[in-house]
Amino acid sequence: MDDLKTFCCQNPQCPDYGRRGLDNLRVCFRNGPHKERRVLACRTCQKRFAERKGTALYRCKLPDQKALAVLQHLQESCGVRQTGRLVGVNKDTVVRLALVAGQHAQDFHDERVAFSPADPRSAVRCEVVVRGQEGEALPARRSLGR
């Protein structure tokens, strides 16, 4: 039996969209090179989706370990070519994964910040404008004589 409590329906029109642990998902079938990836179906809306949908690895054809190795090398400040050489993938694959993961992280951050409460202890932001007096010329720079 597969544990599906960490997954939720990915259909925005479904009443159970985004709600985990409702026991409304089932495994339809498995796909991938070794039948390791599950395709889930919602019992409420009858829609099917891959278990990777909604993640940075959605539609990534690399094995999980290799894709995570690419992202870990990038996290450790390895370059694109160096990461591709160390992990054994094309540099274009490294760039594609970096862009997808970066966009996913940005979307996740924006979602979390939108729902986070304001911190009353945070610094107050104010706009600072520097103005010179009208008609006053700025002093000329001195040459260091070099």
Side-chain angles (χ1 to χ4, degrees), residues 16-17 35 37-38 40 64 66 70 78 88 96 117 127:
D16 294 334
Y17 172 70
K35 304 292 184 202
R37 296 184 190 134
R38 300 177 289 192
L40 308 176
D64 289 344
K66 193 169 268 202
V70 168
C78 289
R96 183 174 40 82
E127 186 175 330

Side-chain angles (χ1 to χ4, degrees), residues 110-124:
D110 292 345
E111 180 181 330
R112 290 293 179 191
V113 168
F115 291 112
S116 64
D119 185 10
R121 296 177 291 153
S122 66
V124 177

Side-chain angles (χ1 to χ4, degrees), residues 5-6 8 16-17 22-23 25 29 43 47 56 72-73 75 79-80 90 99 109 112-114 117-118 125 134:
K5 295 200 183 309
T6 59
C8 60
D16 294 334
Y17 172 70
L22 296 179
D23 213 22
L25 299 177
F29 58 90
R43 290 186 173 111
K47 293 288 183 182
Q72 286 170 347
H73 278 84
Q75 179 186 5
V80 172
N90 191 327
L99 290 173
H109 174 268
R112 290 293 179 191
V113 168
R125 296 181 190 165
E134 291 183 27

Side-chain angles (χ1 to χ4, degrees), residues 80 84 89-99:
V80 172
V89 297
N90 191 327
K91 63 182 168 76
D92 295 335
T93 303
V94 175
V95 170
R96 183 174 40 82
L97 267 175
L99 290 173

Side-chain angles (χ1 to χ4, degrees), residues 40 54 67-68 87 107 123-124 131 145:
L40 308 176
L68 291 175
V87 179
D107 294 343
V124 177
R131 296 182 189 161

Side-chain angles (χ1 to χ4, degrees), residues 30-74:
R30 294 178 181 268
N31 66 4
H34 302 289
K35 304 292 184 202
E36 66 221 14
R37 296 184 190 134
R38 300 177 289 192
V39 175
L40 308 176
C42 177
R43 290 186 173 111
T44 307
C45 66
Q46 307 304 317
K47 293 288 183 182
R48 296 186 304 192
F49 53 92
E51 69 178 333
R52 284 183 167 185
K53 185 163 183 172
T55 70
L57 299 180
Y58 181 58
R59 292 189 174 164
C60 178
K61 297 188 186 215
L62 291 176
D64 289 344
Q65 296 302 323
K66 193 169 268 202
L68 291 175
V70 168
L71 296 174
Q72 286 170 347
H73 278 84
L74 291 174

